Amino acid sequence: MARITLAVTGSIAAYKAADLTSQLGKLGHAVTVLMTPAATQFITPLTLQSLSKNLVYTDVMTEENPSTIKHIDLAKQTDLFLVAPASAQTIAKLAHGFADNIVTAIALALPTTTPRLLAPAMNTNMYLNPATQTNLKQLQRYGFQLIPPREDLLACGDVGIGALADIHLILEKVSKTLHETN
Ligand SMILES: Cc1cc2nc3c(=O)[nH]c(=O)nc-3n(C[C@H](O)[C@H](O)[C@H](O)COP(=O)(O)O)c2cc1C
């Protein structure tokens, strides 16, 4: 059993975070979900709270527990950090050390040894844009392992690379990473 912090960002694939949260729980993991403000436009915190059986954090400036500093505390209590789906915007922010929301602030506060995975999901042109590709390379240098997107008919109507990796592949990568780090 691991403490997994799942960061959900503003992608049309955010609804798949419900299945991911549920499956991680069934595997016995304790899941804490973080959402960017944009992610809450795609799926409700209540859904992910019910499936994770845990508080869902959406705001870095709200301190639910006055005796702790949430983003520092949660970062320390994370055995594995998973961003899925990872939007182009959040990828750019993480590559440049932003800490302007609960997802980016906790990512920046993670101890250097904490394993971190990132599953991009976006339109093909957004994914192939040199800015996104450069940001992804930078994140790999910072220790993020990428779970590459797959080709599919995307929500925008384009066919191409950018669809979130299959949930079972994300789960496999989580298990493999936890196995390697323990
Ligand atoms: C209907 C819709 C679908 C979107 N899907 C994606 C997506 O799959 N991937 C992505 O990177 N951005 C997508 N966006 C744009 C992001 O939501 C937007 O860039 C947002 O600022 C991301 O913020 P965040 O990274 O803080 O969550 C979508 C926007 C809309 C309106």
Side-chain angles (χ1 to χ4, degrees):
M1 194 273 259
R3 296 167 300 177
I4 295 178
T5 300
L6 170 63
V8 182
T9 72
S11 158
I12 192 71
Y15 75 94
K16 294 182 181 170
D19 189 23
L20 186 54
T21 301
S22 170
Q23 299 292 338
L24 287 169
K26 284 179 187 167
L27 290 170
H29 301 303
V31 185
T32 300
V33 178
L34 318 174
M35 301 177 78
T36 63
T40 66
Q41 303 265 323
F42 292 92
I43 180 171
T44 69
L46 182 59
T47 299
L48 297 177
Q49 175 182 295
S50 307
L51 293 168
S52 66
K53 301 177 177 55
N54 212 343
L55 284 177
V56 169
Y57 299 100
T58 59
D59 181 12
V60 70
M61 298 305 283
T62 302
E63 290 290 22
E64 288 83 355
N65 179 354
S67 65
T68 65
I69 305 289
K70 180 175 60 190
H71 63 286
I72 304 300
D73 214 47
L74 276 174
K76 284 183 189 156
Q77 290 172 27
T78 295
D79 297 321
L80 183 144
F81 186 73
L82 168 63
V83 190
S87 68
Q89 165 87 340
T90 292
I91 287 167
K93 286 184 180 178
L94 294 177
H96 291 85
F98 279 50
D100 66 334
N101 64 38
I102 192 65
V103 168
T104 53
I106 290 185
L108 202 64
L110 289 172
T112 49
T113 51
T114 306
R116 56 206 74 191
L117 307 177
L118 185 138
M122 66 199 68
N123 164 269
T124 305
N125 288 340
M126 291 174 82
Y127 180 68
L128 295 178
N129 189 293
T132 302
Q133 290 300 314
T134 300
N135 289 334
L136 287 170
K137 285 193 183 76
Q138 184 61 53
L139 285 177
Q140 284 176 293
R141 283 193 283 272
Y142 289 159
F144 277 86
Q145 295 185 60
L146 302 187
I147 308 172
R150 60 191 168 77
E151 285 190 22
D152 205 349
L153 170 61
L154 304 175
C156 55
D158 293 352
V159 175
I161 187 117
L164 182 69
D166 282 333
I167 298 299
H168 76 90
L169 286 180
I170 298 177
L171 293 170
E172 268 177 35
K173 185 67 181 170
V174 166
S175 296
K176 190 166 174 278
T177 305
L178 288 171
H179 186 72
E180 285 167 0
T181 45
N182 287 316

